[in-house]
Amino acid sequence: MSTFLLRSSTIRLGIFISTLIIAVILIFQLAWLKKVYRFEQKEFDHGVVKAIKGLYEDLDVNVYYSTHLNELLENPESHLYLAHIDLPVNYDTLVSYLQYELEDFGIFTDCHIGIYNSVQNKYAYTKILTLTGAKDRTNTGLPLPVRKFNYLAMYFPNRQQYILSQMNFWIFSSAILLIVLILFSTGLYYFYRQKFLNETQKDFIHHFTHEFKTPVSVISLAADVLKNEKIIEKPSKLAMYAGIVEYQVHYLQGQIEKLLQFAYSESGQLHFDKKEVDVHEVVIKAVNNLTPIINEKNAQIIYELKASHSIIQVDEGYLLITITNLLDNAIKYSKEPRIIVATENDDKILRLIVKDNGIGIEKSEIKKIFRKFYRVRRGDTYVTKGFGLGLSFVKTFLDSHNGKIKIESTPGSGSTFIIELPLD
Ligand code: ADP
């Protein structure tokens, strides 16, 4: 396995494990918070029960001692407690005892109380106990459960907020942990991205050197031969070497053109001169441009230009580069290229389809191939020449023309690139 593959896969494994660990930490933290919340709820309930027990002792009524506390206390909903009580009772004494007991058992939140008279089926007395003292309010928001016995109702409207406020430390520490985990994940992500960019950049320099070195060496060799005076006597050889030089220069021009397109698109200097263009004509031009590689690979180009509306508003030069890039790839990445170039349209969209019978692209690679410099590795080496810039340009072109691209591909059987451009 190559160093790049090893490194990127190791980093990916690292990220996977870290994500798993982060997920486990978060799950544990959430479970822990839930546990603390339940504990605080229980503590609150215990506090209230103890306060009521204390109240019974303060009121010093025998019946309360002889009966089990559970039978005297009801908790019909989480915010509401009903405690049996005998009437008549001195309301003010009861309120002051209760306030004292609640504070004693650490219940520091508003408590709406009511003394229910079962004969009249209503509250005979209501009050709101706040941290700053007891207040008379007509609207206490107290529910009125109908019972056959007299009771003291204690309603805590802010029970949940109070419990949460008791958990401040845990919530705060969880938030800090979450922030740390987010920062850690972001750092990890940027580290991976940087690593990926570095590797792609290194690959680019490697391809760049390779793409330019070979033609330059070939031209230099041909020039050496052409310098020989005797070559004049062999016109066929002269023509052959001149042809080689011409081919290589043409190739170099093509590569320089690609780099220039990229440099312009990177610096935002691509100026689109949109006008009405017949896509079918541009397809023919692109195929003509590719004659050398078509001949070299003995490629078969099959036209299925069926679109009835083939005229769109685009920059012709850039559309030509886009179609050329797609066709060039289709030929490059096929062993015995049999390329179908088709068009079709509906009311709104013109579709250009380039279908090849080449090596295909793995599903996981499809999104990546539009990144600049990205090239799919097959084994230890790249099978074909290129900079990994062709499709990145295609994407830039389509984005600026409200176009879309779709790829359907089966590794080993071939790929279909479908470009969609708006007709208006
Ligand atoms: P280049 O061809 O110069 O490497 P591109 O940006 O045109 O750069 O393509 C990026 C990558 O996408 C290529 O390296 C290749 O791996 C893959 N690719 C593009 N077109 C095809 C195709 N028709 N069949 C198989 N692979 C393709």
Side-chain angles (χ1 to χ4, degrees), residues 329 332-333 356 361 369 374-376 386-388 390-391 417:
N329 280 348
K332 261 195 324 191
Y333 298 106
D356 65 52
I361 310 162
I369 58 178
Y374 190 82
R375 308 197 69 217
V376 178
F387 290 129
L391 289 181
F417 285 71

Side-chain angles (χ1 to χ4, degrees), residues 218-316:
V218 174
I219 292 171
S220 155
L221 282 173
D224 278 348
V225 178
L226 291 173
K227 263 198 308 197
N228 192 327
E229 285 166 5
K230 285 182 189 157
I231 194 100
I232 305 282
E233 293 156 20
K234 295 174 187 163
S236 62
K237 263 201 169 177
L238 182 75
M240 187 183 94
Y241 280 100
I244 291 175
V245 172
E246 192 188 12
Y247 178 81
Q248 295 298 344
V249 167
H250 186 77
Y251 178 77
L252 279 178
Q253 275 173 338
Q255 298 303 68
I256 291 168
E257 184 60 32
K258 268 192 187 169
L259 287 176
L260 283 178
Q261 287 158 20
F262 169 70
Y264 284 143
S265 66
E266 274 299 277
S267 59
Q269 283 181 27
L270 282 185
H271 293 298
F272 297 107
D273 180 15
K274 292 189 189 177
K275 55 179 185 200
E276 289 201 340
V277 174
D278 186 340
V279 175
H280 291 165
E281 284 174 14
V282 182
V283 168
I284 308 286
K285 270 191 202 166
V287 174
N288 285 340
N289 282 353
L290 293 166
T291 310
I293 185 177
I294 291 176
N295 291 340
E296 189 189 320
K297 290 202 74 173
N298 207 8
Q300 206 185 335
I301 309 286
I302 298 150
Y303 293 103
E304 289 180 9
L305 306 177
K306 291 181 186 158
S308 52
H309 290 94
S310 58
I311 299 190
I312 49 170
Q313 287 274 346
V314 277
D315 184 302
E316 184 174 358

